[in-house]
Amino acid sequence: MLTMGNSTCLSPCVSLSPCDSLSPSLSPHPKFPNPNPNSFLLSHPPFAPISLRSNQTPSRFKKLLSPNAPNCFVVASAKGELLKVIISGAPASGKGTQCELITQKYGLVHISAGDLLRAEIASASENGKLAKEYMEKGQLVPNEIVAMMVKERLLQPDSQQRGWLLDGYPRSSSQAAALEDYGIRPDVFILLDVSEDILVERVVGRRLDPLTGKIYHLKYSPPQNDEIASRLTQRFDDTEEKVKLRLRTHHENVDDVLSVYKDITVEVNGNVAKENVFEQIDAALTHVAEQRKVNSGSLAA
């Protein structure tokens, strides 16, 4: 039985236990002004943060990943039940891999703020032109411009019809506040929690094939032959010293973001194999979707 807030639902797959606190510690939730009633408003019932660990997942839950399972998207039958998800994690925490697995199963529209920014600039849209001006001056793109890009992308028909998965954004309290001001709020905020030692090992071992653009790892995904190995390069910032600086910045900012989403945060153990990480995320999303159906049914009655 899964319990979040005042709602309870049954799941045949996994049992979750409430998490009284997350680490690092959370600051109080800031108060934001009410959004414009004409803006994009996504509401949800609050629920207590939960922490998922791989050893909490019964073996029968692995049937969800069986190759014999039906190849279809898990989608809600009503628009109000579509999932809206934000996923966050440090560099090399595995967000890209998990986003692929989530979109494969749930059919959500995957939106990466970085990819979105580059696409807007390439298309020479109004927002893209504004962003390019700042970037050409070596300045950071203002939060308002990026938040507007994200908002407009989330309002597009595919996001409205299928639900969405926002990847790696917001990264600061000001970015989260901008989304709140637009009335944009997810159903669940997934945080991939990976130890620093593992993150450093993942980053330092990464190599790029400049010919194909494929990313390899000297330990976990080595090149197939010596020819490929001979041409691999390392990004200039994929050193232990620089990755630790990036991780420090990430940890400082994620505390502020968590203070905004603490009531809908699911902390996932990212130290395990990618299949086990996805089992935890899948359990959380399944629970949120079921809870929304229950809540929708209660409101209809």
Side-chain angles (χ1 to χ4, degrees), residues 52-64:
L52 301 175
R53 300 299 178 193
S54 59
N55 59 8
Q56 291 178 291
T57 307
S59 59
R60 65 180 180 276
F61 182 68
K62 295 181 180 179
K63 292 180 180 179
L64 290 175

Side-chain angles (χ1 to χ4, degrees), residues 108-127:
L108 304 179
V109 176
H110 178 207
I111 302 169
S112 165
D115 292 344
L116 183 60
L117 180 61
R118 287 184 286 272
E120 291 280 344
I121 293 173
S123 66
S125 68
E126 182 177 348
N127 286 327

Side-chain angles (χ1 to χ4, degrees), residues 38 81 196 266 282 289:
N38 296 320
E81 296 169 2
E196 183 168 309
V266 173
D282 192 20

Side-chain angles (χ1 to χ4, degrees), residues 113 116-117 141-151 169 175:
L116 183 60
L117 180 61
V141 180
N143 291 331
E144 295 79 9
I145 294 177
V146 180
M148 178 63 74
M149 291 181 182
V150 172
K151 173 195 161 187
Y169 186 90
Q175 292 175 351

Side-chain angles (χ1 to χ4, degrees), residues 145-162:
I145 294 177
V146 180
M148 178 63 74
M149 291 181 182
V150 172
K151 173 195 161 187
E152 291 179 354
R153 182 65 185 88
L154 295 179
L155 283 171
Q156 291 184 13
D158 58 347
S159 299
Q160 295 287 289
Q161 295 166 4
R162 292 163 47 193

Side-chain angles (χ1 to χ4, degrees), residues 132-271:
K132 187 176 181 180
E133 290 179 8
Y134 285 96
M135 295 175 70
E136 287 179 342
K137 297 175 184 177
Q139 301 174 349
L140 294 176
V141 180
N143 291 331
E144 295 79 9
I145 294 177
V146 180
M148 178 63 74
M149 291 181 182
V150 172
K151 173 195 161 187
E152 291 179 354
R153 182 65 185 88
L154 295 179
L155 283 171
Q156 291 184 13
D158 58 347
S159 299
Q160 295 287 289
Q161 295 166 4
R162 292 163 47 193
W164 46 262
L165 171 64
L166 186 54
D167 173 10
Y169 186 90
R171 296 185 180 183
S172 67
S173 59
S174 57
Q175 292 175 351
L179 291 183
E180 292 278 323
D181 288 343
Y182 283 130
I184 297 172
R185 189 171 176 84
D187 301 307
V188 59
F189 182 90
I190 297 171
L191 177 65
L192 299 180
D193 182 19
V194 184
S195 67
E196 183 168 309
D197 289 344
I198 292 178
L199 291 171
V200 170
E201 181 185 42
R202 289 178 181 176
V203 172
V204 173
R206 286 194 305 207
R207 295 294 186 272
L208 169 68
D209 183 346
L211 188 62
T212 64
K214 183 175 180 179
I215 299 294
Y216 292 91
H217 192 280
L218 298 180
K219 179 178 178 180
Y220 300 111
S221 181
Q224 296 93 329
N225 54 58
D226 293 338
E227 179 184 354
I228 296 176
S230 65
R231 65 175 184 250
L232 296 184
T233 61
Q234 184 179 29
R235 279 178 40 173
F236 74 94
D237 57 347
D238 277 355
T239 62
E240 182 172 351
E241 179 182 3
K242 291 185 177 180
V243 72
K244 286 186 175 180
L245 289 175
R246 288 157 60 193
L247 291 175
R248 187 177 305 126
T249 300
H250 166 77
H251 292 314
E252 290 171 354
N253 290 332
V254 78
D255 286 352
D256 294 333
V257 175
L258 283 174
S259 71
V260 178
Y261 299 119
K262 63 181 180 181
D263 58 328
I264 55 171
T265 293
V266 173
E267 183 181 353
V268 171
N269 177 13
N271 294 312

